[in-house]
Amino acid sequence: MGLKSSIKSWGSLFFIFLFVFNQVIFFEAISSGNNSQKMNCNINNFSGNPDESFMPNDIVNGNADLLVVDDLVITIDGSREGMHFLDISNPSRPKSLDVSFEPSQYLYELTNFGDIILLGLEHQNLSNSFMKIDLALSSTAYTEIAFWNKWLHGMCLTNDTLYSYLMDFYIGIDEFLIHNATNIDNLTLLGNTNVSGLELPRDFLVHEDFIYFTARYQNLSIYQVNSSYQLSFVQKYVFPSTIESIYFHEDYLFICSNLGFQIYDNSNPASLSLVTHYNISSAQSIRIRNDIAYLTTSDSFTILDLSNIFAPQILDQYIIGDDEYTEMWKIELRDNLAIILTKEMHIFDYPGKFGGYLYIFDVSSPTEIERLYPDRIPLLDNWDKFMLRLILLYIVLPVVTVLSVILIFVREYWKKKQQKKKDSSFET
């Protein structure tokens, strides 16, 4: 066969192969798109129609808080402007609820006791309104029950008491207030304490008659509420790494940090006693039910058996995949569901990956947890598919063509060289 015929034959085979390959890629992309459900990353604009597409909302400065009450989920983003009220009665398809505030108000703090939800709304002058939602009446209607001319930095509602931590940037005084909340619409002040030396407190929890403040500088400060509703200092603890969250279960205090989580005997808050340390990377938040721990780390959702408190054992684990650009963060339990808020929301910077703010798992079987939301991780979007084809057309195709031609010439050259050797050998 001559060189011209060889080039023609190889070229025909190459273009047939290229055409078939391109059709396979095209078919796979189309079929994947048909079989894949578009992710509802912007849940607050989701109307409930599974076929409706919409643009996601990118929250670049992180998320702030999570509250779950019955079928209602409330989340706040780090800018305090992104307020998401969701109905999760169908957990695989969360649906937005229309709850709007004035443009100058930002949702800052959340707490609840039963069906009563309190929202701290910050105004532009750092003053705060206390709003109440009574779920027995409505999940979207709210009323103002108090107004304080200070910055609200935390609150906790129990059966008959409201605890709140206020900061005044103008005069530099931090104040801890305790109100009688038997009549939530008419709060009565029981006591207030000027608190100092907490070193930028992140949060506080109320356990029995003690207040546990966590700070950004690896500190845990414990105060007791005395008979006159004032705070009395009990003890301050310094830990080797920043505390992400704390949680109480029976007589134990669980502390999550990037070194894992530690379990302390909390029967005497003035002298915490270490029970055990569980080494797991970047523990974030934990909830416990029936000796089963539901733990979030930055890259996983882990279920642990605590029947032997000295040696927790993993029952199941969901690990963040390559197509998920998220970090697990706060977790709450509701019946057989685990609802998880992520630390940040990344959408536009990482197309083709799930970077939303919410995960929902079915944990009815702790040894076989199931992710309900997002029900599918998104595949490549149309822009990614277009770019891949563009690369194939303008980069891969010319390179493959040139290499094929070179290969044909080399092959023909080698055949001729071998033939010359044979001819020379024959003549000899």
Side-chain angles (χ1 to χ4, degrees):
M1 187 187 318
L3 178 60
K4 187 174 181 180
S5 300
S6 297
I7 293 175
K8 185 182 294 184
S9 300
W10 279 94
S12 300
L13 289 173
F14 169 75
F15 281 109
I16 291 173
F17 164 78
L18 187 64
F19 175 79
V20 172
F21 178 76
N22 185 62
Q23 293 304 306
V24 169
I25 293 295
F26 180 79
F27 176 79
E28 287 294 328
I30 294 299
S31 59
S32 297
N34 290 336
N35 293 329
S36 176
Q37 187 172 335
K38 187 177 285 290
M39 295 311 307
N40 316 315
C41 298
N42 187 15
I43 303 176
N44 61 311
N45 285 343
F46 177 50
S47 68
N49 182 356
D51 297 324
E52 181 177 345
S53 62
F54 46 85
M55 292 301 295
N57 180 21
D58 195 15
I59 302 173
V60 296
N61 57 344
N63 294 312
D65 209 350
L66 168 70
L67 181 68
V68 180
V69 187
D70 298 331
D71 290 333
L72 176 66
V73 171
I74 305 176
T75 68
I76 316 174
D77 75 35
S79 69
R80 311 290 176 170
E81 298 179 27
M83 316 172 206
H84 309 286
F85 290 74
L86 310 172
D87 177 0
I88 61 165
S89 54
N90 180 1
S92 62
R93 303 295 293 170
K95 187 165 62 174
S96 172
L97 298 176
D98 185 16
V99 180
S100 58
F101 301 103
E102 296 179 9
S104 61
Q105 294 178 325
Y106 309 119
L107 184 55
Y108 216 87
E109 294 294 337
L110 298 166
T111 187
N112 82 289
F113 186 82
D115 287 340
I116 300 298
I117 300 174
L118 294 187
L119 315 171
L121 287 188
E122 180 189 317
H123 301 265
Q124 288 181 337
N125 61 357
L126 296 183
S127 58
N128 278 265
S129 294
F130 269 46
M131 300 293 184
K132 178 194 76 171
I133 292 178
D134 187 348
L135 293 181
L137 302 176
S138 171
S139 58
T140 59
Y142 58 89
T143 57
E144 184 178 75
I145 61 172
F147 178 84
W148 292 332
N149 195 27
K150 290 184 179 181
W151 180 40
L152 179 65
H153 198 67
M155 61 179 176
C156 176
L157 178 65
T158 65
N159 183 35
D160 56 5
T161 309
L162 173 64
Y163 303 86
S164 53
Y165 180 63
L166 302 174
M167 303 177 71
D168 192 324
F169 284 109
Y170 300 107
I171 60 177
I173 295 178
D174 298 345
E175 192 174 19
F176 194 85
L177 305 180
I178 302 177
H179 284 84
N180 184 325
T182 304
N183 180 359
I184 194 67
D185 295 309
N186 186 21
L187 299 173
T188 304
L189 183 64
L190 298 174
N192 64 306
T193 306
N194 290 339
V195 183
S196 60
L198 290 179
E199 301 179 77
L200 295 176
R202 299 177 68 181
D203 202 359
F204 74 85
L205 283 184
V206 179
H207 183 65
E208 297 176 346
D209 59 346
F210 292 90
I211 314 296
Y212 295 72
F213 292 93
T214 56
R216 288 188 174 90
Y217 298 123
Q218 305 164 206
N219 297 335
L220 175 66
S221 299
I222 303 176
Y223 289 76
Q224 186 171 20
V225 180
N226 61 29
S227 57
S228 59
Y229 297 99
Q230 302 296 308
L231 298 191
S232 300
F233 177 73
V234 174
Q235 190 58 271
K236 177 180 176 179
Y237 300 91
V238 179
F239 295 87
S241 61
T242 301
I243 298 172
E244 292 294 340
S245 66
I246 63 175
Y247 183 74
F248 297 97
H249 176 65
E250 296 178 347
D251 289 330
Y252 297 109
L253 169 64
F254 290 74
I255 298 180
C256 294
S257 71
N258 61 6
L259 298 179
F261 69 83
Q262 298 81 42
I263 305 175
Y264 288 87
D265 183 341
N266 188 57
S267 55
N268 180 11
S271 181
L272 297 178
S273 174
L274 180 65
V275 174
T276 190
H277 168 82
Y278 189 83
N279 186 20
I280 190 169
S281 177
S282 192
Q284 298 293 316
S285 181
I286 192 169
R287 293 293 182 266
I288 300 170
R289 179 194 292 164
N290 300 326
D291 288 333
I292 303 296
Y294 302 84
L295 172 74
T296 57
T297 72
S298 291
D299 60 3
S300 74
F301 173 39
T302 302
I303 315 299
L304 294 153
D305 181 359
L306 296 182
S307 54
N308 179 0
I309 196 71
F310 298 98
Q313 299 293 320
I314 291 181
L315 297 176
D316 199 4
Q317 190 172 48
Y318 178 89
I319 299 176
I320 294 293
D322 293 338
D323 293 329
E324 299 162 85
Y325 195 83
T326 59
E327 291 184 33
M328 300 285 190
W329 191 34
K330 291 192 173 185
I331 180 173
E332 295 293 348
L333 302 178
R334 197 273 283 170
D335 297 333
N336 291 325
L337 299 178
I339 297 93
I340 297 173
L341 179 70
T342 63
K343 271 197 172 180
E344 293 182 333
M345 188 170 167
H346 298 282
I347 301 298
F348 298 139
D349 295 337
Y350 302 91
K353 296 179 182 289
F354 176 70
Y357 60 87
L358 195 71
Y359 279 81
I360 301 177
F361 290 87
D362 181 346
V363 294
S364 53
S365 174
T367 58
E368 296 181 2
I369 58 175
E370 179 186 359
R371 189 190 70 202
L372 300 178
Y373 185 88
D375 58 347
R376 295 183 186 180
I377 300 302
L379 300 175
L380 297 176
D381 58 21
N382 291 331
W383 173 253
D384 293 324
K385 295 173 187 176
F386 171 74
M387 290 303 296
L388 284 176
R389 291 183 187 175
L390 202 64
I391 291 172
L392 178 66
L393 181 63
Y394 290 103
I395 298 178
V396 178
L397 176 59
V399 169
V400 172
T401 302
V402 171
L403 289 177
S404 299
V405 171
I406 292 174
L407 182 62
I408 291 172
F409 273 102
V410 169
R411 182 174 179 274
E412 290 298 323
Y413 172 78
W414 182 253
K415 286 172 63 177
K416 287 183 177 181
K417 189 173 182 180
Q418 291 296 105
Q419 187 62 43
K420 283 183 178 181
K421 285 184 178 181
K422 288 181 180 180
D423 294 342
S424 299
S425 181
F426 179 76
E427 290 175 357
T428 301

